[in-house]
Amino acid sequence: VKDALVIADMVKNGYYSDVYLHAESYRALRQLVTTRDYISKQVSSVVNQMYRWTDIYFPEFQQVFKDITSKTALATLAEFAHPSDLRSLSVQDVISGWKKRLKRAGSRTAAAALIHAARRSEP
């Protein structure tokens, strides 16, 4: 990191030269940055939609899983999309559902809290 006086001295003494980027490299770099920005916006949009739909249909879900993008939360939404799917299940049934999608299933306390939250949720 250079301060303004050092940069001014370098320009005055001729130690400074413009950066030359090849046209093809520059175009590829711009395209990558644009694509990354687009994908970041899309991911943010999808996560916000997930929060919205869980707020509508299963508001207690966020009391059990603070981060909706965690592996266990995503596996729960894939296996048991609605609270009515969880109400009649046991803790072992929930863990078995998680094991279908995860290498290491979530904890028994999280499964019990999820079932309890589903039972509290409005039908």
Side-chain angles (χ1 to χ4, degrees):
V1 176
K2 307 281 186 198
D3 65 352
L5 291 177
V6 173
I7 294 171
D9 189 46
M10 289 174 63
V11 171
K12 181 183 80 162
N13 293 330
Y15 298 127
Y16 172 78
S17 62
D18 290 330
V19 176
Y20 176 74
L21 292 175
H22 296 288
E24 185 64 29
S25 300
Y26 184 67
R27 186 185 60 76
L29 182 62
R30 280 186 28 218
Q31 187 176 12
L32 285 172
V33 169
T34 302
T35 305
R36 181 187 178 278
D37 187 40
Y38 174 76
I39 290 172
S40 296
K41 287 179 183 177
Q42 291 296 316
V43 167
S44 176
S45 174
V46 168
V47 169
N48 287 337
Q49 288 176 12
M50 289 171 58
Y51 276 112
R52 179 180 180 268
W53 287 110
T54 54
D55 280 344
I56 292 171
Y57 290 106
F58 193 4
E60 292 84 5
F61 186 82
Q62 292 176 28
Q63 294 172 356
V64 179
F65 298 107
K66 302 299 181 206
D67 181 17
I68 203 168
T69 60
S70 69
K71 290 181 181 179
T72 309
L74 292 174
T76 302
L77 290 173
E79 287 292 319
F80 319 106
H82 198 266
S84 62
D85 299 338
L86 289 164
R87 288 187 186 125
S88 61
L89 298 179
S90 68
V91 172
Q92 191 58 39
D93 294 335
V94 173
I95 291 176
S96 298
W98 285 340
K99 284 186 179 180
K100 292 178 191 174
R101 299 186 177 270
L102 301 172
K103 290 182 181 178
R104 295 176 53 192
S107 68
R108 295 182 69 78
T109 56
L114 185 65
I115 293 169
H116 182 69
R119 289 181 181 150
R120 280 193 328 240
S121 183
E122 294 178 12

